[in-house]
Every structure is written in C-alpha cells, then in structure tokens.
Amino acid sequence: MNSSGALSALVKKTVEGLGYELVDVERLQRGLVRVTIDIERDGGISLEDCERVSDQLTHLFTVEDVSYERLEVSSPGVERPLKRARDWERFTGELAWVELFAPLKAEGFPEAGRRKLEGRIVGISGESGAEQIEFDYFEVDIARTPRAAALRARKKQTVEAAPVRVVFPLSEVEQAHLLVELNFKG
C-alpha cells in the first residue's frame, strides 16, 4: 500500500473502531509510520492505549501488506495540533497559536498584517469546507519553561491591551496548536 490517503483511511477506520480519535498519520523517512491518537476523557491517552492501538495496527499492516520499518503511536501532547473543524469546535475557549498561509489584515495589526497569531479560540461557524474561525488575538503571557516561569513571577504585572477579534477561513490555517501553561512549582 503506497498511497498515504489509503493508509490514513485504513488507520482511521481501525483507530476509531477501537474507540479513539485519529489526530494524524505521517509517513516519515526510514520507514517510520507515526500515528497520533486522542480520546475525550479525563486523563487523556495512556501508555496502555498506545500499546493497544500499536498492537492492532501491527496486525493490520501485516494483513494489508503495508510497507514500514517502525510504527510509533502516541498522544498529541499538551500542545495538541488543531487540524480539523471538530478540533476547533472541541477546544473553543482555549488558548492557541495559529500560523496562516497569508498575512491577515485587521485593525490593530501592522499595515502588512500578521501570519502568526496567539490568543483564544472564540468559535467556528460555516458549512463544511467553508468554515470560519473566530479568534481573539492578544499577546499570550504564559510560562513555557521553568526559567520563563521564574522571570514571570518576578516581573511586575502590566496592563494588557484589549484583544483584537479576527475571523479567518479554516482553509487559510497552515498550522495551529493549543497553548498550555505548565505548572513548574510541582
């Protein structure tokens, strides 16, 4: 099986049949097939979930004669990618980072516009294939490393500017993922 679309469809059917959500399938160099899965429950994906899906896909790839050297099954992690309309709907209200294919022009942006945005997902609307993302752009001030957390704790609080509400087509999103503030205090 050489078609990545056929492989994705085969993996999707198997993963969803086991009760998980398929986030992504990648065919990488040196025969690596990377499968990212998720589930809507507290605690997310466990090691046992990954093992269960890996075992099932190993058997499937043998039966379907899928050529690969290594199979990697994992969760999407805390900064989960946002790829489909249902991802945007599921994570409405959450902080996200977005990179667009072309600069977006809006009041409050530089004249040339912005391609990279941080802020909060407000919602998604529109028909399938023509979805529009409503997004509040603002400078997200979260600690992504222990050093940044320490600096942030010492920094004086500044007055934050009001967010800029923008709307852009889902089809214009090159890549996007959730932003999560990690607790480095233990």
Side-chain angles (χ1 to χ4, degrees):
M1 175 176 298
N2 294 330
S3 165
S4 64
L7 177 63
S8 291
L10 189 63
V11 170
K12 180 179 180 180
K13 183 177 178 183
T14 303
V15 167
E16 290 179 355
L18 291 170
Y20 302 98
E21 174 190 352
L22 179 64
V23 175
D24 200 12
V25 176
E26 300 171 283
R27 243 189 206 280
L28 302 168
Q29 294 179 353
R30 298 185 179 186
L32 173 63
V33 175
R34 180 178 295 149
V35 177
T36 308
I37 60 172
D38 201 1
I39 194 164
E40 287 189 51
R41 71 166 185 235
D42 289 340
I45 294 294
S46 68
L47 180 59
E48 291 77 21
D49 294 323
C50 293
E51 288 174 348
R52 181 176 178 219
V53 171
S54 179
D55 290 346
Q56 190 67 31
L57 289 177
T58 299
H59 294 301
L60 176 73
F61 289 176
T62 300
V63 169
E64 295 293 330
D65 196 29
V66 174
S67 174
Y68 75 102
E69 293 291 319
R70 294 178 303 142
L71 173 63
E72 179 182 291
V73 178
S74 65
S75 75
V78 294
E79 291 195 337
R80 185 192 200 284
L82 303 167
K83 294 188 175 255
R84 297 175 298 268
R86 69 181 183 198
D87 298 336
W88 291 87
E89 186 174 330
R90 176 178 170 192
F91 295 105
T92 293
E94 299 292 332
L95 295 174
W97 174 86
V98 180
E99 184 173 348
L100 303 171
F101 287 109
L104 177 68
K105 297 184 186 336
E107 192 172 319
F109 284 179
E111 198 173 293
R114 293 191 64 95
R115 279 188 62 227
K116 296 178 181 179
L117 308 169
E118 288 183 333
R120 189 170 306 282
I121 303 166
V122 176
I124 182 168
S125 61
E127 298 292 319
S128 179
E131 297 93 345
Q132 296 285 314
I133 306 296
E134 193 171 352
F135 193 81
D136 277 348
Y137 163 77
F138 56 91
E139 196 70 33
V140 175
D141 183 25
I142 60 174
R144 296 184 177 131
T145 65
R147 183 172 188 266
L151 290 172
R152 183 173 176 227
R154 283 183 257 160
K155 186 172 78 172
K156 292 182 180 179
Q157 295 297 326
T158 58
V159 178
E160 292 184 20
V164 176
R165 177 78 43 102
V166 294
V167 177
F168 50 86
L170 177 58
S171 61
E172 286 297 312
V173 176
E174 185 172 349
Q175 56 182 325
H177 62 78
L178 294 176
L179 292 175
V180 177
E181 183 166 19
L182 302 174
N183 178 0
F184 295 103
K185 292 184 181 182

